[in-house]
Amino acid sequence: MRIVLLGPPGSGKGTQAALLKERLQVPHISTGDLLRAAVKAGTPLGLKAKAAMDAGELVSDELVLGLIEERLGQPDIADGYILDGFPRNLVQAEALDELLARLGQPVDKALELTVDEEQIVQRLAKRAAEEGRSDDTEAVVRNRLSVYHQQTAPVTGYYGERGLLVEVNGIGDIETINQRLVDALD
Ligand code: AMP
């Protein structure tokens, strides 16, 4: 099953994608994780991506689409995958559709985790303390939320229009939310 997991930064996408991966036995593909790994390894792509990431802006579509195209070309995705943090704008959503149409493997479902903003700011402050992510500072978090509202929120409409979107309440304990996501896949 090919799943797109949507929701604002701090909505629990990463945590839930990791659980869904175990349950469904398909890879979890996070463009944020792929980009952070590239930054850490100091690859040319990582060097190009770093400034945008540190500012909470989106990395260019060209870089991210190249990364995704390469990842979806690997054999372990034969039974599906969970996309986390991608697509992040309408250009990426359309490019993904084109790529998947070429492969004859369209997206099966888009799941949107809904969480209120107050909860997000609290969660991200907690994550900053626990993981020390350089883009979890308050000013950058605020920018990431604004980028989300302007550029990523329309992606939910894109999948909604195609009848693929299911909204899932992202508030509650981790296991409960995971069960809601699994139920939404039926
Ligand atoms: P995330 O871990 O998904 O919150 O992503 C962390 C950062 O990586 C984002 O704030 C962006 O700078 C960058 N990023 C991740 N995924 C994408 C994407 N699909 N398009 C553009 N930038 C992205």
Side-chain angles (χ1 to χ4, degrees):
M1 189 162 218
R2 292 172 294 274
I3 300 164
V4 171
L5 196 53
L6 299 167
S11 58
K13 292 192 301 295
T15 304
Q16 291 299 334
L19 287 174
L20 280 180
K21 166 195 160 134
E22 293 307 320
R23 230 162 144 151
L24 306 175
Q25 292 292 305
V26 294
H28 165 202
I29 302 177
S30 154
T31 43
D33 285 350
L34 292 172
L35 288 165
R36 277 185 289 278
V39 169
K40 203 167 164 205
T43 66
L45 186 145
L47 293 175
K48 283 185 203 154
K50 189 175 183 326
M53 292 174 77
D54 283 346
E57 298 289 336
L58 295 187
V59 171
S60 79
D61 292 332
E62 193 192 345
L63 285 188
V64 174
L65 289 170
L67 207 59
I68 275 290
E69 191 153 356
E70 190 193 326
R71 184 64 188 87
L72 295 183
Q74 289 170 23
D76 65 334
I77 60 113
D79 292 333
Y81 43 80
I82 302 145
L83 284 180
D84 158 16
F86 179 91
R88 208 74 155 224
N89 59 28
L90 289 175
V91 171
Q92 294 181 9
E94 281 162 10
L96 176 66
D97 265 0
E98 274 171 34
L99 173 65
L100 296 183
R102 258 186 282 151
L103 300 173
Q105 300 174 339
V107 167
D108 292 306
K109 205 81 126 196
L111 302 176
E112 180 193 7
L113 281 172
T114 59
V115 187
D116 72 13
E117 206 126 307
E118 189 49 40
Q119 189 110 3
I120 286 172
V121 175
Q122 282 173 20
R123 282 188 189 180
L124 291 179
K126 190 161 165 262
R127 186 167 78 185
E130 285 168 3
E131 296 177 19
R133 253 178 70 165
S134 59
D135 59 353
D136 276 343
T137 61
E138 198 186 326
V140 177
V141 163
R142 222 175 281 132
N143 195 35
R144 285 164 62 210
L145 282 170
S146 132
V147 167
Y148 176 81
H149 288 303
Q150 285 170 24
Q151 303 190 50
T152 311
V155 173
T156 58
Y158 180 90
Y159 289 110
E161 284 163 16
R162 285 157 182 78
L164 299 176
L165 182 72
V166 185
E167 283 184 27
V168 174
N169 177 0
I171 298 179
D173 63 74
I174 289 174
E175 287 302 331
T176 306
I177 298 167
N178 193 246
Q179 191 56 51
R180 288 180 196 141
L181 288 170
V182 171
D183 291 346
L185 292 173
D186 286 340

